[in-house]
Amino acid sequence: MVKKFLNYVEIRTKITSTITFAMTIGFLLYQGETLDWKRTLVFFLSMFFFDLTTTAINNYIDTKDKENAQVLDFDRRTSLIIIYCLFAVSTVLGLFLAYLSDIVILAAGGICFLCGVLYTYGPVPISRQPLGEILSGFFYGVMIPFILMYINTPAGTFLSYQINLQTISLEFQVMPMITLFLFSVIPFCTTANIMLANNICDMEKDIKVRRFTLPYYIGEKALSLFAGLYYATYAAVVIMVILKILSPICLLSLVSIIPVQKNIKLFFEKQDKAVTFVCAIKNFVLIMGTNTIVIFLSLFF
């Protein structure tokens, strides 16, 4: 039963959220922030359970299409109950985090929940549009760091707001937002590339089930984009070191470009779900893993 559940929610794919979470924790510690462990733990659990929820919804919806050979691990009624339970737990935790924080977290969490559900559910699912790479990169690569940084920094660090009966005002702090943007380039690009590699490999099959993803629209340029997104992560590291956002020690992460380039070459030679899609997973682990390690190492220097 447990094995079937873990397969249903594709537990192996949760590295995208957990490694991004870990890397952001390391960055906050390097910046000298005192972590609010209560809110951090609540956020992690809410994030993790909702990640399980979106995967379960995706698998449930995909198996409704007769042209899709995918089979559920449980009967449809049980599968739906699991989705409701996971969604309920993540929602309660998310609302509790908003209660412990403020309206910004409520709004950010609400947007994440809405897009997560609409990814495969609704009249025009996001997964059937050329937006999957952008949105997966944004919500895993930008929103996770933003929420984690927001709840662990003093009020007003990133933004301040005022709401009354006459006006609603919102003010952003430029340098913290630039820092967030540069830091998020790494998880954004590596996460987006997992989706991009998947869509490149599945393009012919997706067209048959009327799923027109980004590779369908940009054709062979998808491979150039695949490589370019990886190179952008290395550029972001160099820029952050120059701006003293990261320690010079973090330049050690650049050595990962050697195996990453090897995987890019393999994927260029053949785009096959069973053979070379794993290159995107390997590159995610290589880039995110090395950056996480060196950021934590920088705490000791």
Side-chain angles (χ1 to χ4, degrees), residues 187-206:
F188 177 95
C189 293
T190 50
T191 301
N193 258 353
I194 293 177
M195 178 68 68
L196 180 60
N198 180 72
N199 288 337
I200 291 173
C201 293
D202 286 346
M203 186 168 67
E204 291 184 7
K205 186 179 73 173
D206 285 344

Side-chain angles (χ1 to χ4, degrees), residues 2 7 17 45 83 96 109 129 143 149 166 177 182 188 214 216 283 297:
V2 174
N7 187 59
S17 55
L45 292 174
I83 291 173
F96 183 48
Q129 304 174 45
M143 292 305 289
M149 290 180 187
Q166 284 75 40
M177 294 302 291
L182 289 171
F188 177 95
L214 184 61
Y216 171 82
N283 280 355
L297 279 177

Side-chain angles (χ1 to χ4, degrees), residues 2-65:
V2 174
K3 185 178 180 180
K4 290 170 66 176
F5 171 76
L6 295 179
N7 187 59
Y8 178 43
V9 297
E10 297 181 17
I11 194 68
R12 63 191 179 279
T13 66
K14 304 316 161 199
I15 58 170
T16 51
S17 55
T18 53
I19 295 183
T20 301
F21 182 92
M23 189 171 81
T24 309
I25 289 291
F27 180 73
L28 284 166
L29 293 174
Y30 174 72
Q31 292 289 314
E33 301 294 344
T34 300
L35 299 184
D36 185 325
W37 289 108
K38 181 179 180 180
R39 291 198 290 187
T40 299
L41 178 60
V42 172
F43 171 59
F44 175 80
L45 292 174
S46 178
M47 172 198 76
F48 188 76
F49 274 98
F50 189 66
D51 199 359
L52 299 180
T53 305
T54 54
T55 302
I57 294 173
N58 183 46
N59 288 334
Y60 182 85
I61 298 296
D62 280 353
T63 54
K64 291 177 69 175
D65 198 319

Side-chain angles (χ1 to χ4, degrees), residues 196 200 214-215 217-229 268:
L196 180 60
I200 291 173
L214 184 61
Y217 291 97
I218 65 175
E220 293 183 0
K221 292 180 181 179
L223 290 176
S224 298
L225 177 61
F226 180 76
L229 287 173
F268 268 48

